[in-house]
Amino acid sequence: MAETRPAALTSADAPTPGTAGDEIYELLRELFPICRSISGDGVRQTFELLAPYLPLMLSEVPTGTQVFDWTVPREWNIRDAWIDDGDGNRVVDFRASNLHVLGYSTPVRTKLPLAELREHLFTHPTEPDWIPFRTSYYNENWGFCLATRQLDALPDGEYEVCIDSTLEDGSISYAEAVFPGELDDEILVTTYSCHPSLANDNCSGIALLAVLGKYLADSSLRYTYRLLFSPGSIGPISWLAANEGRLDRVKHGLVASCVGDPGRPTYKQSRRGDAEIDRAVASVLRQRGDHEVRPFVPLGGDERQFNSPGIDLPVGALSRTPANEFRGYHSSADNLDLVRPDALGDSFDLYWTVFGVLERNRRFENLNPKGEPQLGKRGLYRAIAGGTSEEEALLWVLNLSDGGHDLIDISDRSGLPFETIHEASDALEAATLLQPL
Ligand code: ZN
């Protein structure tokens, strides 16, 4: 029987969390300096850096394209930006931090007094030393972001400002990699690709998906895996509009974000709340220790698009400390010191373990449902090393294999680890006491 069972990835296909964490951190460091936005060359440069890890297919959606209720905006690129104090000193300099420029700033070159310039300056509401991350995607504006202390140090007087940017017809870019399995059914894992130099909020998700892709490529898979990198909101909306006819292939999905901080894992359920992905992630988290599971709310990241009522895909969001809850969120404090290789490695292991549960999860029919089958004569009872939990698992699997429960359900109800339940189902199937449905 075992030889006819479909492929399913195992932990043997993956690196140790330590190795994966180092690999993800290394890529994250390369991604960090790039000035990304919802469009532009920074995004393309990002995808080029991912190319050695996974086979990316790039899509460009032209400015003006109607995608559901949205219109693809003009493409933004930036070369340089600064504020000069009139004595040739760059008191604010894009080259020192790309967070200094309000994202999607229109080009400007002018002189103006500090009082007028202030209308275009943004500071962090609570932390005087942090540069905030601000954008104005769909509302034309220009501006600079700086630390409150930096602003307070500027004397009155006239300043020269320059934002050497372009906002022109072009496209937004998204990229996807597909790893075919035995089934056309897909597991969709997505992340956004639109944040500049922010380490946890964005770079961590991009780097995690790239390294997951690297190891999926070498694994034998039951499901087909699709990894999608796209700019927040407009990206998933564009992808969903382009793929509307084939969305029924997506059986399970996860949005990856903020996976590099040392906080505990947090899972936000899909809109359905009881989808297989919701049960799989909850089951894995329970076995791993401290974590939080939250119900779906129509706020947050790209899960909003996948869970909109006309799409309604079973897509949850799996992060560590969620965006806007970790210290440093959307500021210069979300840097390479905030993210940790061990947290990135733990996130890799978490995703990989969830994939493993989805790969192995099945429903079975008990072929001997009238009374318990006699396990002893089949060498199953008390013959399994380790004793009671393995024996309990056999009885739980037999009892709940009535067609209405899958292995995740049985793991939940019995309180036994999914792996133990799965091993019991393997043994029972080999003894022809179970048949997969
Ligand atoms: Zn963000």
Side-chain angles (χ1 to χ4, degrees), residues 133 192 194-195 198 201-202 258 323-324 329-330:
F133 166 53
Y192 47 112
C194 54
H195 285 35
L198 297 169
D201 183 16
N202 209 180
C258 307
N324 82 22
Y329 169 72
H330 275 195

Side-chain angles (χ1 to χ4, degrees), residues 127-146:
E127 296 291 334
D129 292 315
W130 295 356
I131 308 165
F133 166 53
R134 296 281 293 267
T135 61
S136 190
Y137 297 137
Y138 298 99
N139 182 15
E140 278 195 18
N141 195 2
W142 64 266
F144 289 88
C145 303
L146 70 172

Side-chain angles (χ1 to χ4, degrees), residues 168-220:
E168 295 169 338
D169 283 359
S171 57
I172 62 157
S173 319
Y174 65 76
E176 54 198 312
V178 177
F179 302 92
E182 293 185 358
L183 305 174
D184 289 334
D185 292 350
E186 288 184 7
I187 296 177
L188 172 68
V189 188
T190 85
T191 196
Y192 47 112
S193 52
C194 54
H195 285 35
S197 293
L198 297 169
N200 194 35
D201 183 16
N202 209 180
C203 288
S204 70
I206 300 173
L208 169 67
L209 257 62
V211 174
L212 282 170
K214 174 183 166 181
Y215 289 98
L216 284 171
D218 292 333
S219 303
S220 87

